[in-house]
Amino acid sequence: MVGELGVQYCSGLQTNFQVAATAKHFLAYSNNKGGREGYARTDPQMGLREVFNLHLYPYYEVVRRAGILGVMCSYNDIDGQPVEGCGYWLMQISRKMLGFHGYVVSDSDAVEYLFRKHHT
């Protein structure tokens, strides 16, 4: 249902390519467990199976069916890899696996989080 809603919304926004839809937050952002939120949201505590089978699917749909033009990266880590600075998630998965050809923007303090939170 999330994938279908995303496709319809993005398709409507991008009619005649006068507006570029930007999907937020790629990937697995703020999936707090056990009431974890705030600064802890940068560490979603989920396995790769959950990421691939649940969180990646709506992005796949909006890339494939709606031809989404933009993605905003998240600033969490997945399995210890900060998404906002990880070639695996931003290149291998979004571009090669999903076929995304648009632009990627950072959110808020995403680049600064590479230093402050992720120490990279």
Side-chain angles (χ1 to χ4, degrees):
M1 180 177 305
V2 173
E4 186 62 33
L5 287 171
V7 166
Q8 296 305 316
Y9 188 81
C10 293
S11 295
L13 278 175
Q14 295 187 158
T15 300
N16 299 325
F17 295 102
Q18 294 180 3
V19 174
T22 303
K24 304 171 50 168
H25 290 90
F26 186 82
L27 176 67
Y29 172 81
S30 196
N31 186 27
N32 54 350
K33 306 285 187 188
R36 294 166 44 101
E37 192 48 90
Y39 192 63
R41 71 180 175 209
T42 61
D43 182 12
Q45 299 289 309
M46 69 181 78
L48 293 177
R49 182 179 295 181
E50 183 177 351
V51 172
F52 278 95
N53 291 339
L54 184 64
H55 297 277
L56 192 61
Y57 181 76
Y59 290 100
Y60 171 75
E61 288 295 301
V62 296
V63 167
R64 185 176 62 87
R65 292 176 47 208
I68 192 148
L69 298 173
V71 165
M72 178 181 285
C73 68
S74 61
Y75 48 89
N76 55 285
D77 61 78
I78 299 175
D79 197 24
Q81 295 180 318
V83 175
E84 72 272 31
C86 182
Y88 176 73
W89 294 111
L90 295 179
M91 299 299 290
Q92 293 297 111
I93 299 301
S94 74
R95 299 210 183 271
K96 294 201 171 134
M97 184 177 146
L98 300 184
F100 176 66
H101 298 291
Y103 61 86
V104 177
V105 296
S106 67
D107 183 21
S108 190
D109 292 330
V111 176
E112 188 176 325
Y113 266 10
L114 285 171
F115 306 103
R116 284 190 307 156
K117 196 271 182 192
H118 303 294
H119 308 290
T120 57

